[in-house]
Amino acid sequence: MASWQESASRKRESVLAKIPEQWRLSESFCAVPITPNSLSRNVTTDAFLQTLPSAARLSQRELEITSETRISEILKNYESQHWTAEEVITAFCHRAAISHQMTESLSEIRFVEAVNEAKAHDNYLRANNKLIGPLHGIPVSLKDQFRVEGLETAMAYIGWLGNVETNQTESLLTKQIKSLGGIIVAKAKTVSNLQPPGLNPYNRLLSPGGSSGGEGSLLAFRGSVLGVGTDMGGSIRIPSAFNHLFGLKPSHGRISYKDLANSLAGKPVVPSVAGPMSTTLQNLIHFTKAIIESEGCGVDPALINMPWRQSKFDQVRIDAAAGGLCFATFPHDGVVKPHPTISRGVDSAIDAIRQAGHKVIGWDPPSHLEGSRIYAGIVFADVHDVHDAIRLSGEPLMTALEPLFGKDEPRKSMDMKDYYALVLRFRKYQEQYAEYWESTKTLTGTGRPVDGIITPVAAHAAVRHNSFFSYNYTIVYNILDYAAVTVPVTFADKNIDIARPYPEPLNDTDEKNWNAYDPEIYHGAPIGIQIVGRRLEEEKVLALAEVLSGALRLTSS
């Protein structure tokens, strides 16, 4: 029987083998020393792309195509026959191949299948003079949890390798994407023993985040137009913020999770959700509307039978024009204070909102420390299935996960009586947060409670590997099941975001996080924030993100 190291090595080699020879880069080229001043630190730039070996370099036509990541514009180019799906898919596959070699972003490749599907889409358009659907010929990537026919679903467990999916086992969302015309080009990786740590394409000294980090780095490199990740504690929002992307964490039941692979899959209280990530907000709106309006409730009983509510989206614009919106914000969550980069990002968002004529008030909600404790108790009440999965191959649990799952043996499961008491505490926390949100009606001046919260996604920008100390800014909104959208703001700047002494840390974690800040290392890292709405307010938070994004463009012009 092969060792887990041998199995992992074979898998990595099989992924690389699916990259066409002419797109291959030498290992020495990919692994050049990365220094704060090296060209290979940021691999998203045109200057870097010009350094690629000539055989692997993107053509001018491919550069033109992959510079356009708006779904609406790609569809227009198809309808006008300026582009074909075959050349668009090929161009993005080429870019995805470079992305993987420079940042370790992919777990599965289906370039050949994607190009063949693109040819069929072109034939359909020529024969019928219409598009297959609202995702016709759009290059889509999926986190490895999504089951796709013909590909393995290991979800980073070496012992799960060999599970090749069929049409019967595909995830419902995969089938919905295909039925709307989307073309799956690849599946993206997460942090594991299966592959080396992923790198952030904006700053390869840093992490792309997790656990949808491969999706984040692939999209930032423009290796696909739209990706779908999952979020149980921030795994859409964190890599979106770390990679200068928009990302939607919906409430449970708006987008199907049927037939996705998962750890801790039976959790009844804080379920994981699936949501889109992209370089443009309009792509999130386009995708979410198309998926929600596609048929799914009949076969996924977990889906809420709620159509896309355009009126909710439009109401934000009406309220904005009628007298302004009201946002809330707070300097920190009471657990870990943000680095200077993040504080500047939040301040920039607030300034832009105010200059656009909207109001911002302070936010003093129920304790986020209490929320994080409830989250940890519920999510990690029983972790045996994680240890069962790693025992299949004999691989070790990653060091960073040992405090959560136990090193050699799983942590003792919570007693059911204690678990029920914790769930009651969880329900009470949800009620207290809802009551607090509603109470802001007397403070906003709009006659409504706060429209949304502007808050950090994390206490830092794209972080150095193994330096992520607190998930508090995201996990609280998972236990509340609130909808949230990440919005890119700016980039870290060593000349502005100066390191300062920190005389009064809130706790040991806060001090450890602050001491990890290095302006030189973080320079150039994306800075993003999240706008949080209430449960099932996907349309509203997307519209609020549109308002903020527009305001940021005006203040930066």
Side-chain angles (χ1 to χ4, degrees):
M1 180 178 176
S3 68
W4 68 264
Q5 295 96 331
E6 291 170 328
S7 297
S9 178
R10 281 202 300 267
K11 180 59 182 178
R12 292 193 295 270
E13 290 169 1
S14 72
V15 173
L16 285 171
K18 290 186 177 181
I19 295 177
E21 188 67 36
Q22 66 272 24
W23 296 347
R24 301 273 183 91
L25 303 174
S26 68
E27 187 174 336
S28 60
F29 180 89
C30 299
V32 295
I34 306 166
T35 68
N37 298 315
S38 66
L39 182 61
S40 63
R41 174 173 171 163
N42 181 347
V43 295
T44 66
T45 66
D46 288 344
F48 169 78
L49 292 175
Q50 291 303 314
T51 70
L52 294 175
S54 57
R57 200 172 298 164
L58 278 74
S59 68
Q60 285 302 311
R61 180 71 163 175
E62 288 176 319
L63 288 171
E64 173 199 339
I65 288 170
T66 56
S67 68
E68 180 55 79
T69 56
R70 292 171 295 177
I71 292 174
S72 58
E73 293 303 311
I74 294 173
L75 296 181
K76 287 179 183 177
N77 277 292
Y78 287 156
E79 290 175 320
S80 67
Q81 299 184 24
H82 180 60
W83 292 343
T84 66
E86 180 183 358
E87 64 177 342
V88 168
I89 292 297
T90 300
F92 278 95
C93 286
H94 187 173
R95 198 145 184 154
I98 305 301
S99 167
H100 177 63
Q101 293 173 89
M102 297 305 303
T103 65
E104 288 283 352
S105 56
L106 303 181
S107 63
E108 293 286 324
I109 284 174
R110 64 186 308 270
F111 296 163
V112 172
E113 299 90 336
V115 170
N116 287 335
E117 289 168 13
K119 291 176 181 177
H121 281 43
D122 289 333
N123 291 336
Y124 179 92
L125 178 58
R126 283 191 290 267
N128 298 279
N129 199 31
K130 66 177 183 178
L131 303 174
I132 290 173
L135 297 178
H136 178 106
I138 299 302
V140 177
S141 49
L142 303 173
K143 189 177 181 179
D144 191 45
Q145 287 178 258
F146 290 85
R147 294 187 165 101
V148 179
E149 182 180 7
L151 301 183
E152 289 184 337
T153 304
M155 214 192 78
Y157 290 126
I158 295 170
W160 284 13
L161 291 172
N163 297 329
V164 179
E165 308 300 344
T166 67
N167 179 260
Q168 286 69 43
T169 59
E170 268 197 334
S171 302
L172 175 58
L173 188 55
T174 304
K175 293 180 177 180
Q176 289 176 306
I177 290 168
K178 288 182 176 181
S179 71
L180 297 171
I183 296 178
I184 313 297
V185 297
K187 292 209 293 180
K189 60 165 275 189
T190 185
V191 179
S192 71
N193 293 315
L194 189 55
Q195 292 171 296
L199 305 178
N200 190 301
Y202 280 101
N203 182 340
R204 293 204 302 155
L205 295 166
L206 305 176
S207 164
S211 60
S212 307
E215 195 63 70
S217 61
L218 177 67
L219 289 162
F221 199 86
R222 299 202 299 279
S224 75
V225 168
L226 184 133
V228 187
T230 64
D231 194 313
M232 189 178 74
S235 293
I236 288 171
R237 289 161 290 162
I238 291 167
S240 292
F242 283 13
N243 291 280
H244 206 62
L245 302 171
F246 294 91
L248 168 67
K249 183 208 85 69
S251 297
H252 178 60
R254 287 311 298 274
I255 294 177
S256 178
Y257 207 87
K258 186 177 185 292
D259 295 327
L260 267 72
N262 208 0
S263 297
L264 314 176
K267 299 181 310 301
V269 179
V270 186
S272 181
V273 295
M277 303 161 63
S278 188
T279 55
T280 77
L281 178 62
Q282 292 308 311
N283 286 356
L284 266 59
I285 297 167
H286 185 106
F287 176 86
T288 305
K289 181 179 180 181
I291 291 296
I292 287 176
E293 290 183 343
S294 67
E295 296 180 3
C297 290
V299 292
D300 184 356
L303 277 176
I304 297 170
N305 190 6
M306 180 186 292
W308 171 264
R309 298 165 297 176
Q310 187 64 36
S311 61
K312 295 282 186 183
F313 189 93
D314 293 339
Q315 187 63 47
V316 171
R317 292 174 174 170
I318 294 170
D319 291 339
L325 302 164
C326 184
F327 295 83
T329 191
F330 53 133
H332 61 83
D333 65 354
V335 183
V336 175
K337 292 181 181 178
H339 283 174
T341 53
I342 301 303
S343 295
R344 181 166 64 87
V346 172
D347 289 345
S348 296
I350 292 170
D351 289 345
I353 281 294
R354 283 179 169 149
Q355 288 186 42
H358 309 296
K359 187 176 180 181
V360 180
I361 65 171
W363 188 247
D364 186 23
S367 167
H368 277 211
L369 179 59
E370 167 71 355
S372 69
R373 288 171 174 166
I374 293 170
Y375 173 93
I378 288 174
V379 170
F380 303 111
D382 184 282
V383 297
H384 279 75
D385 71 325
V386 172
H387 283 268
D388 291 343
I390 64 174
R391 284 179 183 136
L392 291 173
S393 67
E395 65 177 302
L397 187 70
M398 298 190 71
T399 303
L401 300 179
E402 290 174 4
L404 300 176
F405 297 100
K407 183 177 179 180
D408 299 316
E409 294 292 330
R411 291 170 45 199
K412 183 180 177 182
S413 298
M414 187 179 291
D415 179 82
M416 285 301 294
K417 181 181 178 181
D418 293 336
Y419 185 78
Y420 288 152
L422 181 60
V423 171
L424 288 176
R425 187 172 149 200
F426 157 75
R427 299 294 183 201
K428 187 66 177 177
Y429 185 79
Q430 286 186 315
E431 292 167 4
Q432 291 171 341
Y433 217 101
E435 289 168 3
Y436 173 73
W437 194 308
E438 194 66 22
S439 74
T440 62
K441 185 184 296 184
T442 62
L443 305 173
T444 61
T446 65
R448 305 182 305 275
V450 160
D451 291 298
I453 313 166
I454 295 174
T455 174
V457 174
H460 39 65
V463 75
R464 287 192 278 183
H465 291 281
N466 300 315
S467 296
F468 203 131
F469 304 116
S470 172
Y471 296 84
N472 255 48
Y473 285 99
T474 51
I475 60 178
V476 166
Y477 302 117
N478 287 90
I479 67 168
L480 295 170
D481 198 25
Y482 285 175
V485 176
T486 57
V487 177
V489 178
T490 185
F491 294 88
D493 187 329
K494 63 184 180 183
N495 299 311
I496 300 174
D497 306 312
I498 308 298
R500 296 181 177 87
Y502 194 35
E504 297 181 9
L506 299 172
N507 48 60
D508 290 344
T509 302
D510 184 39
E511 185 173 21
K512 189 184 299 184
N513 174 72
W514 190 266
N515 291 337
Y517 178 60
D518 183 328
E520 191 74 39
I521 298 298
Y522 276 87
H523 184 70
I527 299 171
I529 56 90
Q530 61 180 329
I531 295 181
V532 180
R534 300 171 92 169
R535 185 169 181 268
L536 303 175
E537 286 193 338
E538 287 72 25
E539 296 90 346
K540 182 172 184 177
V541 292
L542 287 165
L544 292 173
E546 184 180 71
V547 170
L548 174 56
S549 185
L552 285 166
R553 283 195 301 271
L554 286 175
T555 56
S556 63
S557 60

